Amino acid sequence: MHPVFIYDAIRTPRGKARSDGGLHDLLPHDLLKCLYRHLEQHTGLDPALVGDVLLGCVTQHGEQAGNIAKTSTLYAGWPSSIGGMTVNRFCSSSVDAISIAALKITAGQEQTLVAGGVEMMSRVPMLADQASVFVDPAFAAQCRMLMMGSGADLIATLCGVSREQADAVALLSQQRADHARRNGYFSSIVAVPNPVKGITVTEDECIRANATAESLAALPPAFADLGSKGVDAFQLAEYPELKAIDHVHTAGNSPAMADAAALLLLGNEALGRRIDAAPRARIVDAATASDDPLQVLSGCVAATRKLMARQNLSAADVDLFELHEAFAATAIKCQQDLGIPNDKLNVNGGVIALGHPMGATGAIMTGTLLDELQRRGLRRGIVAASGAAGAGSALLLEMV
């Protein structure tokens, strides 16, 4: 068993997933090429050392189809000897890419790997692949799979989350993210030039610093109409103890769609000697779990609980948690079920404020966690993400 170290963790800014977003004009391969080049320059890495690249990507369609983990290395001019595998476990995909890479190093199969994720939601929109489980209601019901917002409203109903509580989570996320951006806490960001617009994107674009409790309260429920078309009835039949579904989620307390990519350089101890660099952190353990698919997004809690139980950890033993803020109610469920205090959870904001480039989010959160542990001089952190169908994945990290 070989220990697995993180030598670097970098990401692009999160661009707004719109045509006027700062990254929209670029291919997903362009984002990754920028990060591959930065890894070489920042760490002195010889790409020939890399045995494999594993990337999370949820909507593998169009520009993101065709195993982007492999084609992006070729596009960047890296050696053709490097393998590539694209991973899809919904929104936890890049956590799983990191976990699989760590397993290969632990087993001694590889010494040096790159893992991360990419999603260009302005160019390849969510559901562009038209998967039957999301667009065919009868097939979805057979699989007990619902859309993410409907699952979030079910979680809110089961956990007794009010609209006011959900909006409070969103407001705190915006305030923390704005504070972190203004103070330069997101040190893993690599600037990305966009020659089409004649700009260089240097900061996350989705943060709404002017959000207020009043502006959030004025937004209408986003998923009530979907519920009225049969989803509510389906959920209530499955949960007969409930009288009605509380539609508390809006555009303001739901994740912002975004464009971004992120990469981690992983290796064993020998890699540090070869590139003359000290590792930043060690991957101690990883866990995957699946919860009730009707709740859709509760897998983050299940995976984190499984990881903590295996390592005999309580929330008091973990310095910081970076958990997928996939709708406000899921953040509240994380705190309720895992006993995480507010000052340890998503301390620099979550994806409600920062944006959710699905296949890249977990890798971005991993870098954010490392940056903050290092900034505060802390030791241990957990990063976890939820995916559709109740999927969830988590990593336990320790600073070196």
Side-chain angles (χ1 to χ4, degrees), residues 55-74:
L55 297 180
C57 183
V58 176
T59 310
Q60 296 178 34
H61 175 76
E63 295 170 353
Q64 291 176 171
N67 191 8
I68 193 169
K70 175 61 178 179
T71 59
S72 63
T73 60
L74 297 174

Side-chain angles (χ1 to χ4, degrees), residues 360-378:
T361 294
I364 292 174
M365 292 195 305
T366 303
T368 299
L369 177 63
L370 292 179
D371 289 345
E372 192 62 17
L373 287 169
Q374 184 172 339
R375 192 182 73 82
R376 296 188 180 201
L378 299 176

